[in-house]
Amino acid sequence: MMNSRKYLPPMGLLVAFEACARLGKFTAAAQELSLTQSAVSRQIRALEEIAGVALFVRERQAVRLTPAGEIYAEEIRHALRDISNSTLRIKASPGTGTLKLAILPTMGTRWLAPLLPDFVRRHPGVTLNLVTRLEPFDMDAEDVHAAIHYGAPEWPRAELDFLFEETIFPACSQGLKTHFGFASAQDLLQAPLLHLASRPQAWAQWFAAQGIEGALAGGISIDQFATVTQAASAGLGVALLPEFLFRAELERGELVSALDVRSRSQGRYYLACAASKAWYPPLTAFRGGSGSRRRSAFPEQGQLHQSRACPSWFDRLTTNGFPGSS
């Protein structure tokens, strides 16, 4: 994204230009702005140097806009009006604005979405925009305020709020479980394994946690949890799933536990917040309910530390403060 700051004139020059364009006289603009006529004239000259074009035709008793000046005056008038209106809105309602949040597809729809109505009710002036992202990205370039992140507490130019850990379990259809007769972790190596593309080492780590090192966990790679779940339900293979996201499938019998084994994932969930936007009122309101511990993505800024308690809109986390605990 091109940095346009070098083309952004000082506000004082723009205000002086708008007044001169509207009033048609430098003297009248000077009176309105409580400046001298020569000061206004210098400001217009400075703006013309920045723009690289004449904005006024100087005449003996008045000035008139050049064709380029007329176009520029219309655009600047609208821009100043927008700035003024934005200032009035935020002064009247400091917590208003748009919050753009990047979510992980399944986690966002199944866990976060049910929590959002309470947040919106408590902050009616905040408009939420949701986009889907699977991997870390440049939030400044994409004008995103925050993102749900799974993995290690690492995200360039971001502050990370710890949300929770997750409990995972091997899941499959009842038919597949009956066919293979799973009795131990070793038995799962005989069945097709379903891999989530964003967690390529999950099965190897799971087998290692069960005491099976160097397991050749081949199988099918799928890019989203929703598709992995459908494939497991259909009997295509065994999937490692976060329990908090797929309890409903277990309760309906669409999935069963291949083994009665529950374990913690090596990754954790975080709310990654763009450091450059940390001051933004809608984001600070959202972060107030996003978790209990925070760390910066910059290692030199320290470790996780305690922050204020979670407001009630985020209190729907399950026992012990994270989903899937048992």
Coordinates of all heavy atoms in Angstrom, one line a residue, residues 9-71:
P9 N -1.5 17.6 2.9 CA -1.1 19.0 3.4 C -1.6 19.2 4.8 O -2.5 18.5 5.3 CB -1.9 19.9 2.5 CG -2.3 19.1 1.3 CD -2.5 17.7 1.9
P10 N -0.9 20.1 5.6 CA -1.4 20.5 6.9 C -2.8 20.9 6.9 O -3.3 21.6 6.0 CB -0.4 21.6 7.3 CG 0.8 21.4 6.5 CD 0.3 20.8 5.2
M11 N -3.5 20.6 8.0 CA -4.9 21.0 8.1 C -5.2 22.5 7.9 O -6.2 22.9 7.3 CB -5.5 20.5 9.4 CG -7.0 20.7 9.6 SD -8.0 19.8 8.4 CE -7.8 18.2 9.0
G12 N -4.3 23.3 8.5 CA -4.5 24.7 8.4 C -4.5 25.2 7.0 O -5.3 26.2 6.7
L13 N -3.7 24.7 6.1 CA -3.7 25.1 4.7 C -5.0 24.7 4.0 O -5.6 25.5 3.2 CB -2.6 24.4 3.9 CG -1.1 24.6 4.5 CD1 -0.1 24.1 3.4 CD2 -0.9 26.1 4.8
L14 N -5.6 23.5 4.4 CA -6.8 23.1 3.8 C -8.0 23.9 4.2 O -8.9 24.3 3.5 CB -7.1 21.6 4.1 CG -6.0 20.6 3.6 CD1 -6.3 19.2 4.0 CD2 -5.9 20.7 2.0
V15 N -8.0 24.3 5.5 CA -9.1 25.1 6.1 C -9.0 26.5 5.4 O -10.1 27.1 5.1 CB -8.9 25.2 7.6 CG1 -9.9 26.3 8.2 CG2 -9.2 23.9 8.3
A16 N -7.8 27.1 5.3 CA -7.7 28.4 4.6 C -8.2 28.3 3.2 O -8.9 29.2 2.7 CB -6.3 28.8 4.7
F17 N -7.8 27.3 2.5 CA -8.2 27.1 1.1 C -9.7 27.0 0.9 O -10.3 27.7 0.1 CB -7.5 25.9 0.5 CG -8.1 25.5 -0.9 CD1 -7.8 26.3 -2.0 CD2 -8.8 24.3 -1.1 CE1 -8.4 26.0 -3.3 CE2 -9.3 24.0 -2.3 CZ -9.1 24.8 -3.4
E18 N -10.3 26.2 1.8 CA -11.8 26.1 1.7 C -12.5 27.4 2.0 O -13.5 27.7 1.3 CB -12.2 25.0 2.8 CG -13.7 24.6 2.7 CD -14.7 25.6 3.3 OE1 -14.3 26.3 4.3 OE2 -15.8 25.7 2.8
A19 N -12.0 28.2 2.9 CA -12.6 29.5 3.2 C -12.5 30.4 2.0 O -13.4 31.1 1.7 CB -12.0 30.1 4.5
C20 N -11.3 30.5 1.4 CA -11.0 31.3 0.3 C -11.9 30.9 -0.9 O -12.5 31.8 -1.6 CB -9.6 31.3 -0.1 SG -8.4 32.1 1.1
A21 N -12.0 29.6 -1.1 CA -12.8 29.1 -2.3 C -14.3 29.5 -2.1 O -15.0 29.8 -3.0 CB -12.6 27.6 -2.4
R22 N -14.8 29.4 -0.8 CA -16.2 29.6 -0.5 C -16.5 31.1 -0.6 O -17.6 31.5 -1.1 CB -16.5 29.0 0.8 CG -17.9 29.3 1.4 CD -18.3 28.4 2.5 NE -17.2 28.3 3.5 CZ -16.8 29.1 4.4 NH1 -17.5 30.2 4.6 NH2 -15.8 28.9 5.2
L23 N -15.6 32.0 0.0 CA -15.9 33.4 0.1 C -15.4 34.2 -1.1 O -15.9 35.3 -1.3 CB -15.2 33.9 1.4 CG -15.7 33.3 2.7 CD1 -14.9 33.7 3.9 CD2 -17.2 33.6 2.9
G24 N -14.5 33.7 -1.9 CA -14.0 34.4 -3.1 C -13.0 35.5 -2.8 O -12.7 36.2 -3.7
K25 N -12.6 35.7 -1.6 CA -11.7 36.8 -1.2 C -10.8 36.3 -0.1 O -11.2 35.7 0.9 CB -12.4 38.0 -0.8 CG -13.2 38.7 -1.8 CD -13.9 40.0 -1.3 CE -14.6 40.7 -2.4 NZ -15.2 42.0 -1.8
F26 N -9.5 36.6 -0.3 CA -8.5 36.3 0.8 C -8.8 37.1 2.1 O -8.7 36.6 3.2 CB -7.1 36.5 0.3 CG -6.6 35.5 -0.7 CD1 -7.4 34.5 -1.2 CD2 -5.3 35.6 -1.1 CE1 -6.9 33.5 -2.1 CE2 -4.8 34.6 -2.0 CZ -5.6 33.6 -2.5
T27 N -9.2 38.3 1.9 CA -9.5 39.2 3.0 C -10.6 38.7 3.8 O -10.6 38.6 5.1 CB -9.8 40.6 2.5 OG1 -8.7 41.1 1.8 CG2 -10.0 41.6 3.7
A28 N -11.7 38.3 3.2 CA -12.9 37.8 3.9 C -12.5 36.5 4.6 O -13.0 36.2 5.7 CB -14.0 37.5 2.9
A29 N -11.7 35.6 4.0 CA -11.3 34.4 4.6 C -10.4 34.7 5.8 O -10.5 34.0 6.9 CB -10.5 33.5 3.6
A30 N -9.6 35.7 5.7 CA -8.7 36.1 6.8 C -9.5 36.5 8.0 O -9.3 36.1 9.2 CB -7.7 37.2 6.4
Q31 N -10.6 37.3 7.8 CA -11.4 37.7 8.8 C -12.1 36.5 9.5 O -12.3 36.5 10.7 CB -12.5 38.7 8.3 CG -11.9 40.0 7.9 CD -12.9 41.0 7.2 OE1 -14.0 40.5 6.9 NE2 -12.5 42.2 7.0
E32 N -12.6 35.6 8.7 CA -13.3 34.5 9.3 C -12.4 33.6 10.1 O -12.8 33.0 11.2 CB -13.9 33.6 8.1 CG -14.7 32.4 8.6 CD -15.3 31.6 7.5 OE1 -16.3 32.1 6.9 OE2 -14.8 30.5 7.2
L33 N -11.1 33.5 9.7 CA -10.2 32.6 10.4 C -9.4 33.4 11.4 O -8.5 32.8 12.1 CB -9.2 32.0 9.3 CG -9.9 31.1 8.3 CD1 -8.9 30.7 7.2 CD2 -10.6 29.9 8.9
S34 N -9.6 34.7 11.6 CA -8.9 35.5 12.6 C -7.4 35.5 12.2 O -6.5 35.3 13.1 CB -9.1 35.0 14.0 OG -10.5 35.1 14.4
L35 N -7.1 35.7 11.0 CA -5.7 35.7 10.5 C -5.5 37.0 9.7 O -6.5 37.7 9.3 CB -5.4 34.5 9.6 CG -5.4 33.1 10.2 CD1 -5.3 32.1 9.2 CD2 -4.3 33.0 11.3
T36 N -4.3 37.3 9.3 CA -4.1 38.5 8.4 C -4.2 38.0 7.0 O -4.1 36.8 6.7 CB -2.7 39.0 8.6 OG1 -1.7 38.1 8.3 CG2 -2.5 39.4 10.1
Q37 N -4.5 39.0 6.1 CA -4.6 38.6 4.7 C -3.3 38.0 4.2 O -3.4 37.1 3.4 CB -5.0 39.9 3.9 CG -5.4 39.6 2.5 CD -4.2 39.6 1.5 OE1 -3.2 40.2 1.9 NE2 -4.4 39.0 0.4
S38 N -2.2 38.6 4.6 CA -0.9 38.1 4.1 C -0.7 36.6 4.6 O -0.1 35.8 3.8 CB 0.2 39.0 4.5 OG 0.3 39.1 6.0
A39 N -1.1 36.3 5.8 CA -1.0 35.0 6.3 C -1.8 34.0 5.5 O -1.3 32.9 5.1 CB -1.4 34.9 7.8
V40 N -3.0 34.4 5.1 CA -3.8 33.5 4.3 C -3.2 33.3 2.9 O -3.2 32.2 2.4 CB -5.2 34.1 4.2 CG1 -6.0 33.3 3.1 CG2 -6.0 34.0 5.5
S41 N -2.7 34.4 2.4 CA -2.1 34.3 1.0 C -0.9 33.4 1.1 O -0.7 32.6 0.1 CB -1.6 35.7 0.6 OG -1.0 35.7 -0.7
R42 N -0.1 33.4 2.1 CA 1.1 32.5 2.2 C 0.6 31.1 2.3 O 1.2 30.2 1.8 CB 1.9 32.9 3.5 CG 2.7 34.2 3.3 CD 3.8 34.3 4.4 NE 3.2 34.3 5.7 CZ 2.9 35.5 6.3 NH1 3.0 36.6 5.7 NH2 2.4 35.5 7.5
Q43 N -0.5 30.8 3.0 CA -1.0 29.5 3.2 C -1.5 28.9 1.8 O -1.2 27.8 1.5 CB -2.1 29.4 4.2 CG -1.7 29.6 5.6 CD -2.8 29.6 6.6 OE1 -3.9 30.1 6.3 NE2 -2.6 28.9 7.7
I44 N -2.1 29.8 1.0 CA -2.6 29.3 -0.3 C -1.4 29.0 -1.2 O -1.3 28.0 -1.9 CB -3.5 30.4 -0.9 CG1 -4.7 30.6 -0.1 CG2 -3.9 29.9 -2.3 CD1 -5.5 29.3 0.2
R45 N -0.3 29.9 -1.1 CA 0.9 29.6 -1.9 C 1.5 28.3 -1.5 O 1.9 27.5 -2.4 CB 1.9 30.8 -1.7 CG 1.5 32.1 -2.3 CD 1.6 32.1 -3.8 NE 1.4 33.5 -4.3 CZ 1.2 33.7 -5.6 NH1 1.2 32.7 -6.5 NH2 1.0 35.0 -6.0
A46 N 1.6 28.1 -0.2 CA 2.2 26.8 0.2 C 1.4 25.6 -0.2 O 2.0 24.6 -0.6 CB 2.2 26.8 1.8
L47 N 0.1 25.7 -0.2 CA -0.8 24.6 -0.7 C -0.6 24.4 -2.2 O -0.5 23.2 -2.7 CB -2.2 24.9 -0.4 CG -3.2 23.8 -0.7 CD1 -2.9 22.5 0.0 CD2 -4.7 24.2 -0.4
E48 N -0.5 25.5 -3.0 CA -0.3 25.3 -4.4 C 1.1 24.7 -4.7 O 1.2 23.9 -5.7 CB -0.4 26.7 -5.1 CG -1.8 27.3 -5.1 CD -1.9 28.7 -5.7 OE1 -0.9 29.5 -5.5 OE2 -2.9 29.0 -6.4
E49 N 2.1 25.0 -3.9 CA 3.4 24.3 -4.1 C 3.3 22.8 -3.8 O 3.9 22.0 -4.5 CB 4.4 25.0 -3.1 CG 4.8 26.4 -3.5 CD 5.8 27.0 -2.6 OE1 6.3 26.3 -1.7 OE2 6.1 28.2 -2.7
I50 N 2.5 22.4 -2.8 CA 2.3 21.0 -2.5 C 1.6 20.3 -3.6 O 1.9 19.2 -4.1 CB 1.6 20.8 -1.2 CG1 2.5 21.3 0.0 CG2 1.2 19.4 -0.9 CD1 1.8 21.3 1.3
A51 N 0.5 21.0 -4.1 CA -0.3 20.4 -5.2 C 0.4 20.4 -6.5 O 0.0 19.6 -7.4 CB -1.7 21.1 -5.2
G52 N 1.3 21.4 -6.7 CA 2.0 21.5 -8.0 C 1.1 22.1 -9.1 O 1.4 21.9 -10.2
V53 N 0.1 22.9 -8.7 CA -0.8 23.5 -9.6 C -1.4 24.8 -9.0 O -1.6 24.9 -7.8 CB -1.9 22.5 -10.0 CG1 -2.8 22.2 -8.8 CG2 -2.7 23.0 -11.2
A54 N -1.7 25.7 -9.9 CA -2.3 27.0 -9.4 C -3.8 26.6 -9.1 O -4.5 26.0 -9.8 CB -2.3 28.0 -10.5
L55 N -4.2 27.1 -7.9 CA -5.6 26.9 -7.4 C -6.5 28.1 -7.6 O -7.7 28.0 -7.7 CB -5.6 26.4 -6.0 CG -4.8 25.2 -5.7 CD1 -4.7 24.9 -4.2 CD2 -5.4 24.0 -6.3
F56 N -5.9 29.3 -7.7 CA -6.6 30.5 -7.8 C -6.0 31.4 -9.0 O -4.8 31.3 -9.2 CB -6.6 31.4 -6.5 CG -7.4 30.8 -5.4 CD1 -6.8 30.0 -4.4 CD2 -8.8 31.1 -5.4 CE1 -7.5 29.5 -3.4 CE2 -9.5 30.6 -4.3 CZ -8.9 29.8 -3.3
V57 N -6.9 32.1 -9.6 CA -6.5 33.2 -10.5 C -6.6 34.5 -9.7 O -7.7 34.8 -9.2 CB -7.3 33.3 -11.8 CG1 -6.9 34.5 -12.6 CG2 -7.2 32.0 -12.6
R58 N -5.5 35.2 -9.5 CA -5.5 36.4 -8.6 C -5.9 37.6 -9.5 O -5.3 37.9 -10.6 CB -4.1 36.7 -8.1 CG -3.8 36.0 -6.8 CD -3.4 34.6 -7.0 NE -2.8 34.0 -5.8 CZ -2.6 32.7 -5.7 NH1 -2.8 31.9 -6.7 NH2 -2.1 32.2 -4.5
E59 N -7.0 38.3 -9.1 CA -7.4 39.5 -9.7 C -7.3 40.7 -8.8 O -7.1 40.5 -7.6 CB -8.9 39.3 -10.2 CG -8.9 38.2 -11.3 CD -10.4 37.9 -11.7 OE1 -11.3 38.3 -11.0 OE2 -10.5 37.4 -12.8
R60 N -7.6 41.9 -9.2 CA -7.3 43.1 -8.4 C -8.1 43.1 -7.1 O -7.6 43.3 -6.1 CB -7.6 44.3 -9.2 CG -7.3 45.6 -8.5 CD -7.3 46.8 -9.3 NE -6.3 46.7 -10.4 CZ -5.9 47.7 -11.1 NH1 -6.4 48.9 -11.0 NH2 -5.0 47.6 -12.1
Q61 N -9.4 42.8 -7.2 CA -10.3 43.0 -6.0 C -10.7 41.6 -5.5 O -11.4 41.6 -4.4 CB -11.5 43.8 -6.4 CG -11.2 45.2 -6.8 CD -10.5 46.0 -5.6 OE1 -10.8 45.8 -4.5 NE2 -9.6 46.9 -6.0
A62 N -10.4 40.5 -6.2 CA -10.9 39.2 -5.7 C -10.1 38.1 -6.3 O -9.1 38.4 -7.1 CB -12.4 39.1 -6.2
V63 N -10.4 36.9 -6.0 CA -9.7 35.8 -6.6 C -10.8 34.8 -7.1 O -11.9 34.8 -6.6 CB -8.8 35.1 -5.5 CG1 -7.7 35.9 -5.1 CG2 -9.6 34.6 -4.3
R64 N -10.5 34.0 -8.0 CA -11.4 33.0 -8.5 C -10.6 31.7 -8.7 O -9.4 31.7 -9.0 CB -12.1 33.4 -9.8 CG -11.2 33.8 -10.9 CD -12.0 34.3 -12.1 NE -11.2 34.7 -13.2 CZ -10.6 33.9 -14.1 NH1 -10.9 32.6 -14.1 NH2 -9.9 34.4 -15.1
L65 N -11.4 30.6 -8.6 CA -10.7 29.3 -8.7 C -10.4 29.0 -10.1 O -11.1 29.3 -11.0 CB -11.7 28.2 -8.1 CG -11.9 28.3 -6.6 CD1 -13.1 27.4 -6.3 CD2 -10.7 27.7 -5.9
T66 N -9.3 28.3 -10.3 CA -8.9 27.8 -11.6 C -9.8 26.5 -11.7 O -10.4 26.0 -10.8 CB -7.5 27.4 -11.6 OG1 -7.2 26.4 -10.6 CG2 -6.6 28.6 -11.4
P67 N -9.9 25.9 -12.9 CA -10.6 24.6 -13.1 C -10.1 23.5 -12.1 O -10.9 22.8 -11.5 CB -10.3 24.3 -14.5 CG -10.2 25.6 -15.2 CD -9.4 26.4 -14.2
A68 N -8.8 23.5 -11.9 CA -8.2 22.5 -11.0 C -8.6 22.8 -9.6 O -9.0 22.0 -8.8 CB -6.7 22.4 -11.1
G69 N -8.7 24.1 -9.3 CA -9.0 24.6 -8.0 C -10.5 24.3 -7.6 O -10.8 24.0 -6.5
E70 N -11.4 24.4 -8.6 CA -12.8 24.1 -8.4 C -13.0 22.6 -8.0 O -13.7 22.3 -7.1 CB -13.6 24.4 -9.7 CG -13.7 25.9 -9.9 CD -14.5 26.2 -11.2 OE1 -14.9 25.2 -11.9 OE2 -14.7 27.4 -11.5
I71 N -12.3 21.7 -8.7 CA -12.4 20.3 -8.4 C -11.8 20.0 -7.0 O -12.5 19.3 -6.2 CB -11.6 19.5 -9.5 CG1 -12.3 19.7 -10.9 CG2 -11.6 18.0 -9.1 CD1 -11.5 19.0 -12.0

